[in-house]
Amino acid sequence: MKKFTFYLICILCFLNLGCFAKKSKANTFKMNIVCASFPEYDWTRNVLGLDSQDIYVHLLIKSGIDLHSFQPTVADIATISKCNMFVYTGTESATWVQEILKQVENKNMIVINTLDYVEPIMVDSHHEEEVCQTENHKHTTDEHIWLSIKNAKKICQTIYQKLCVLDSQNQQLYKTNLDNYLQKLDSLDNSFAELTSLPDFKPLIFCDRFPFAYFVNDYNLEYFAPYEGCSSETEASFEKVAFLANKIDEYNTKCVFTLEKSDNKLAKTVIASSNNPTCDIVTLHSMQSITLSEAFSGKSYLSVMNDNLDALRKTF
């Protein structure tokens, strides 16, 4: 709380001294939208129009830092405070948002908490040694809603509706953009459904954190993982390693899955403990660490999800 208070005091000082008078790229646009994470940023730009000259879309977490460890800078808070629309996913890991929203400069700001427009999934947050019946057993909301294409479609429709409130003159343009983008999402959704419904599609074995609860729920997939959600645990027990190794043997699986930026240490240990030393390690991208430069280089929500589709094909 002290950190947030310090940030807010700094903002007031900067504003009073005119430290933000210097023009930035965002100042040349009529309105500004701030999106906390990459999926929200990419969805908004597609509904808005990638070449829009009226509204600037700002990606807040743009340096590739993991969402779970992000803390806003004074400049970030000032940017949010003055924007016309703010899009974020409001779970336990985004408590900083509420502190900022209490002190926003633009009282007419449109705020979209994407979790308000989907069906949330709860995950256990207790540690392995804790028992479900104890007072330490807690459930938290899984924040990785963007890994569900069905959720993506719902949120894009919400962004469209709010854009029409923000800029009603371009409503038809936004509707055209939305419809075109939804068609692409539908096509990708169908591709995942077709692949995962094949009779030879095997259960997914994860050797990493597990942010794919919404994804596996969409396609009713069986999976095995050492942790539930993006657990803070970093070491898997002997029992977990043995359990996953046995699943490799049971299903004669060709690969196990890890996240981007994984050191693959756990995956290598699990494979070495199995009877299948040729089992591959395949990356599924969770979109928690995409940089702005990667977005400018062509990486998009659709391209990443298509890469994940190709990764799942390696199970055969």
Side-chain angles (χ1 to χ4, degrees), residues 275-291:
N275 294 318
N276 185 5
T278 61
C279 184
D280 289 333
I281 301 173
V282 176
T283 299
L284 282 178
H285 207 298
S286 66
M287 281 184 269
Q288 297 180 90
S289 57
I290 294 177
T291 65

Side-chain angles (χ1 to χ4, degrees), residues 126-127 129-138:
H126 68 287
H127 293 289
E129 66 272 12
E130 295 172 354
V131 182
C132 290
Q133 285 75 18
T134 69
E135 61 181 10
N136 293 322
H137 183 74
K138 298 179 181 179

Side-chain angles (χ1 to χ4, degrees), residues 56 58 65 178 181 198 226 239 272:
Y56 178 74
H58 177 88
I65 188 173
L178 172 68
Y181 194 61
L198 292 175
E239 289 77 14

Side-chain angles (χ1 to χ4, degrees), residues 15-49:
L15 292 176
N16 288 335
L17 293 173
C19 290
F20 290 103
K22 185 179 180 180
K23 273 198 170 186
S24 66
K25 182 177 179 181
N27 294 135
T28 65
F29 289 77
K30 296 177 182 177
M31 289 177 282
N32 297 285
I33 297 174
V34 176
C35 297
S37 67
F38 172 77
E40 300 154 353
Y41 169 81
D42 196 52
W43 294 333
T44 300
R45 291 184 70 233
N46 275 279
V47 177
L48 178 65

Side-chain angles (χ1 to χ4, degrees), residues 227-270:
Y227 321 114
E228 186 168 1
C230 270
S231 168
S232 59
E233 294 181 83
T234 57
E235 296 293 333
S237 66
F238 172 81
E239 289 77 14
K240 286 180 178 178
V241 170
F243 173 78
L244 294 172
N246 287 336
K247 291 303 177 183
I248 291 177
D249 296 337
E250 178 182 350
Y251 291 99
N252 192 27
T253 187
K254 292 185 177 180
C255 64
V256 296
F257 294 96
T258 59
L259 303 183
E260 72 277 13
K261 296 188 175 181
S262 172
D263 60 9
N264 291 337
K265 180 179 177 181
L266 175 57
K268 292 176 182 177
T269 300
V270 169

Side-chain angles (χ1 to χ4, degrees), residues 49-298:
L50 299 178
D51 57 350
S52 173
Q53 298 301 309
D54 294 324
I55 301 179
Y56 178 74
V57 185
H58 177 88
L59 176 59
L60 190 66
I61 306 175
K62 55 182 177 291
S63 62
I65 188 173
D66 189 281
L67 294 177
H68 303 89
S69 56
F70 174 76
Q71 287 294 334
T73 65
V74 172
D76 290 333
I77 298 172
T79 300
I80 296 171
S81 180
K82 297 185 290 184
C83 74
N84 302 96
M85 189 163 86
F86 178 48
V87 187
Y88 75 105
T89 302
T91 65
E92 292 83 351
S93 67
T95 53
W96 54 269
V97 173
Q98 298 308 317
E99 296 298 324
I100 295 174
L101 293 180
K102 291 176 184 176
Q103 304 291 334
V104 294
E105 179 181 344
N106 179 10
K107 300 301 181 182
N108 296 318
M109 180 194 304
I110 294 174
V111 178
I112 301 176
N113 179 358
T114 58
L115 263 174
D116 291 339
Y117 302 93
V118 302
E119 187 67 32
I121 291 177
M122 306 302 292
V123 295
D124 290 337
S125 60
H126 68 287
H127 293 289
E128 184 182 21
E129 66 272 12
E130 295 172 354
V131 182
C132 290
Q133 285 75 18
T134 69
E135 61 181 10
N136 293 322
H137 183 74
K138 298 179 181 179
H139 289 85
T140 58
T141 303
D142 192 318
E143 64 192 0
H144 309 92
I145 58 176
W146 56 85
L147 292 171
S148 160
I149 298 175
K150 293 175 173 57
N151 283 346
K153 289 186 280 189
K154 292 177 182 178
I155 297 168
C156 285
Q157 290 168 332
T158 299
I159 291 171
Y160 158 73
Q161 293 166 0
K162 300 301 183 182
L163 275 175
C164 290
V165 174
L166 189 65
D167 181 23
S168 59
Q169 291 183 341
N170 288 308
Q171 180 173 345
Q172 187 54 54
L173 171 62
Y174 302 150
K175 184 62 167 63
T176 299
N177 293 340
L178 172 68
D179 290 344
N180 290 338
Y181 194 61
L182 289 180
Q183 287 181 6
K184 296 176 182 178
L185 290 174
D186 283 335
S187 177
L188 187 56
D189 189 14
N190 291 335
S191 295
F192 274 110
E194 290 173 5
L195 176 67
T196 56
S197 64
L198 292 175
D200 293 336
F201 192 83
K202 297 179 180 179
L204 305 178
I205 299 176
F206 286 84
C207 296
D208 208 330
R209 295 183 298 172
F210 181 69
F212 287 91
Y214 292 94
F215 176 82
V216 298
N217 187 64
D218 276 354
Y219 307 108
N220 195 29
L221 302 180
E222 187 176 8
Y223 71 94
F224 304 99
Y227 321 114
E228 186 168 1
C230 270
S231 168
S232 59
E233 294 181 83
T234 57
E235 296 293 333
S237 66
F238 172 81
E239 289 77 14
K240 286 180 178 178
V241 170
F243 173 78
L244 294 172
N246 287 336
K247 291 303 177 183
I248 291 177
D249 296 337
E250 178 182 350
Y251 291 99
N252 192 27
T253 187
K254 292 185 177 180
C255 64
V256 296
F257 294 96
T258 59
L259 303 183
E260 72 277 13
K261 296 188 175 181
S262 172
D263 60 9
N264 291 337
K265 180 179 177 181
L266 175 57
K268 292 176 182 177
T269 300
V270 169
I271 292 171
S273 302
S274 74
N275 294 318
N276 185 5
T278 61
C279 184
D280 289 333
I281 301 173
V282 176
T283 299
L284 282 178
H285 207 298
S286 66
M287 281 184 269
Q288 297 180 90
S289 57
I290 294 177
T291 65
L292 187 61
S293 61
E294 287 177 309
F296 284 158
S297 298

